[in-house]
Amino acid sequence: MTAETLHALDRLLRDQDEPQLSPQQYKEVFRLHPAGVAVVALRDGERRIGFTATSVISVSAAPPLLAFSLASTSSSWDALSRARTLTVSFLSADQDDVSARFATSGIDRFAAGGWYDLGSGEPVIEGAVSWVRGRVLQRTPVGDSYLVSLRALEHGTSDDTTPLVYHDRSYHRIGSHTAI
């Protein structure tokens, strides 16, 4: 993220001259909002890059678009800034260990296995509820992060698993027993 982009956003926010949430208040709000857990993965030359994301959203069904955010300070940003395609694997309820591994800095997140490469080269997490292979459309700087939008190209699903959810700093499993 360039200093010029950050200064422009700072000016815009300053010009609005209204109170805003502190970072702590903002985090408090989103800790209480449950989110699905996914691993975003890509190839950067011969290296596999992956990270945990709870910010994945559906944007449009026609055309099929999705998006996620990533901090500009993330160790994965450099590779993601060059990527043309990537995968988003939506984790199943028994994959909290996978989520934790892909959220850990300074390790080879793929070393423990549990993934496979698509014919096009992108890694997919084995046992995920579903996955999407997408083409990167935009990388939009927003605040101290990037909003990355994708066009969905391929997918896979599994009917016999339930999703992993992150809520208030802990993992949760949902299923028919939690339906209202």
Side-chain angles (χ1 to χ4, degrees):
M1 180 151 320
T2 67
E4 181 180 315
T5 302
L6 284 175
H7 291 306
L9 181 60
D10 286 342
R11 280 193 305 276
L12 174 65
L13 295 173
R14 204 173 32 254
D15 290 347
Q16 291 176 352
D17 192 28
E18 57 193 352
Q20 66 182 20
L21 297 178
S22 70
Q24 186 58 33
Q25 290 169 320
Y26 185 80
K27 289 175 183 178
E28 181 181 341
V29 168
F30 278 91
R31 269 197 310 269
L32 299 176
H33 178 69
V37 183
V39 168
V40 176
L42 56 116
R43 297 276 282 193
D44 187 37
E46 293 302 311
R47 291 182 9 194
R48 289 174 187 84
I49 306 294
F51 54 91
T52 298
T54 57
S55 61
V56 180
I57 60 170
S58 168
V59 176
S60 168
L65 304 176
L66 62 152
F68 63 89
S69 64
L70 180 68
S72 60
T73 57
S74 169
S75 61
S76 300
W77 171 246
D78 187 47
L80 182 58
S81 72
R82 295 186 295 272
R84 295 181 54 166
T85 59
L86 54 81
T87 59
V88 179
S89 296
F90 296 91
L91 300 184
S92 67
D94 61 351
Q95 292 183 305
D96 52 307
D97 60 325
V98 175
S99 174
R101 177 170 26 119
F102 278 85
T104 301
S105 296
I107 65 167
D108 178 354
R109 297 168 179 161
F110 290 91
W115 55 271
Y116 61 93
D117 284 334
L118 294 175
S120 50
E122 302 88 347
V124 170
I125 302 301
E126 291 176 346
V129 171
S130 59
W131 59 267
V132 172
R133 176 177 171 262
R135 176 162 312 281
V136 176
L137 296 177
Q138 293 178 307
R139 298 168 186 89
T140 307
V142 182
D144 64 354
S145 297
Y146 285 91
L147 181 64
V148 180
S149 58
L150 313 168
R151 179 174 41 150
L153 303 175
E154 296 178 60
H155 81 289
T157 61
S158 175
D159 293 332
D160 59 342
T161 60
T162 58
L164 182 64
V165 174
Y166 194 72
H167 174 257
D168 199 15
R169 299 180 188 171
S170 61
Y171 295 107
H172 297 265
R173 292 171 176 87
I174 62 171
S176 59
H177 67 285
T178 61
I180 298 176

